[in-house]
Amino acid sequence: MHKTARQKYLLDLISENGQVSISELVDKLQVSADTVRRDLSDLEKKGLAQKNHGGAIALDLSAMNRRERTTLLPETKQRLGKMVAAQVPAGSTLFLDAGSTMMAVAAFLKGPLTVITTSLDIAQLFSERADIDLILAGGNWDAQQRLFAGSVTLSLLNRYRADIAILGACAIDARLGLSASQEADAGVKRAMIAASHQHWQVADHMKLNQRAPYLVAGLSDIQHLFLDRPWAELRDAGDMHVHIAKAD
């Protein structure tokens, strides 16, 4: 297996399992332990993985920019996007958050819809869609996170009202709720929640049982939670509906 393909496979394994031992990687790849260690060192230098004693773990997602996170769990994000989009009623007005999972949701959406977003990538995706009434909430451009944020963005969002806010996740904790790694991003998510009737949260398993510095909302503020696998730590969902996008 070529080095690039091997490292992608390593990253996929780490993303899926959280942690994989050197011995497991040697067995799966049929290469030497030294080769695995060199691959892990390369991934660590790129900010995608970090070594620990005898294995590897995925980096704290808050340390990765959106471009790097787009390489993680592509098939999982497609499953989540398809499931979420299928439940959006035609004619709805949506706040659509930024991020690779939200891009997957956007790719499966069918109009007629009104979409209000802070993501330039999502706006470009919809730019020639006649069935989508597109509103881009601009402001201060964050090139690393691929979104608009700041006071101008919040002022624009406050002018609109939506049926549903569909949010991506930086971190979700069963007790502490939703949080974000950037203060400006947390502010955008809070503004979307405040100006929408329903609040939908979409997250892959890497975001679960994680905490970031800036509060977004409690789980009690979320009506629908879309996950790619059951969440054992969520013992009481209350009135929140939990949806699982199972692999085919």
Side-chain angles (χ1 to χ4, degrees):
M1 186 183 295
H2 188 271
K3 178 180 177 180
T4 301
R6 192 173 61 240
Q7 291 185 1
K8 182 181 185 304
Y9 181 69
L10 283 172
L11 189 59
D12 289 343
L13 282 175
I14 296 167
S15 300
E16 284 288 349
N17 300 303
Q19 179 168 322
V20 184
S21 69
I22 294 290
S23 60
E24 288 177 285
L25 295 174
V26 167
D27 183 60
K28 288 180 180 294
L29 291 167
Q30 294 296 296
V31 296
S32 70
D34 285 342
T35 297
V36 170
R37 291 190 183 96
R38 284 195 295 270
D39 284 339
L40 292 175
S41 294
D42 286 346
L43 292 174
E44 188 173 30
K45 290 175 183 177
K46 295 175 183 177
L48 298 176
Q50 64 180 8
K51 295 178 291 184
N52 67 1
H53 298 293
I57 60 175
L59 275 179
D60 180 356
L61 292 178
S62 64
M64 300 172 68
N65 63 41
R66 290 196 189 276
R67 190 178 299 278
E68 291 166 339
R69 291 201 293 267
T70 59
T71 65
L72 304 177
L73 304 174
E75 294 179 358
T76 295
K77 292 170 183 176
Q78 289 296 302
R79 292 202 313 272
L80 283 166
K82 187 175 183 179
M83 178 176 64
V84 174
Q87 298 199 38
V88 173
S92 297
T93 296
L94 308 177
F95 283 128
L96 201 56
D97 199 6
S100 56
T101 304
M102 293 299 98
M103 278 290 289
V105 173
F108 286 103
L109 285 173
K110 296 181 180 179
L113 295 168
T114 297
V115 174
I116 306 162
T117 186
T118 58
S119 166
L120 183 60
D121 296 327
I122 289 174
Q124 289 176 329
L125 179 68
F126 287 148
S127 62
E128 296 185 8
R129 287 273 301 270
D131 60 334
I132 303 293
D133 185 5
L134 174 65
I135 299 170
L136 176 61
N140 294 332
W141 172 240
D142 185 331
Q144 289 295 314
Q145 301 302 316
R146 303 291 300 170
L147 54 80
F148 291 101
S151 60
V152 173
T153 306
L154 296 180
S155 177
L156 289 170
L157 289 174
N158 286 336
R159 297 181 184 183
Y160 300 105
R161 296 294 180 266
D163 300 303
I164 307 167
I166 306 179
L167 305 174
C170 294
I172 306 181
D173 183 271
R175 183 174 65 86
L176 298 177
L178 318 176
S179 52
S181 56
Q182 302 292 327
E183 185 173 13
D185 186 29
V188 166
K189 295 180 193 298
R190 288 195 299 267
M192 289 181 172
I193 289 174
S196 57
H197 178 62
Q198 288 193 34
H199 316 135
W200 296 8
Q201 177 69 55
V202 190
D204 62 64
H205 61 271
M206 294 184 67
K207 312 296 178 54
L208 303 180
N209 306 315
Q210 302 295 320
R211 291 151 295 279
Y214 301 101
L215 174 67
V216 175
L219 288 181
S220 60
D221 292 319
I222 303 300
Q223 286 81 45
H224 293 271
L225 176 63
F226 298 86
L227 305 173
D228 65 311
R229 61 179 62 171
W231 186 10
E233 289 76 10
L234 183 64
R235 296 182 176 86
D236 181 12
D239 294 329
M240 181 174 63
H241 299 279
V242 180
H243 311 264
I244 307 297
K246 297 179 180 179
D248 296 332

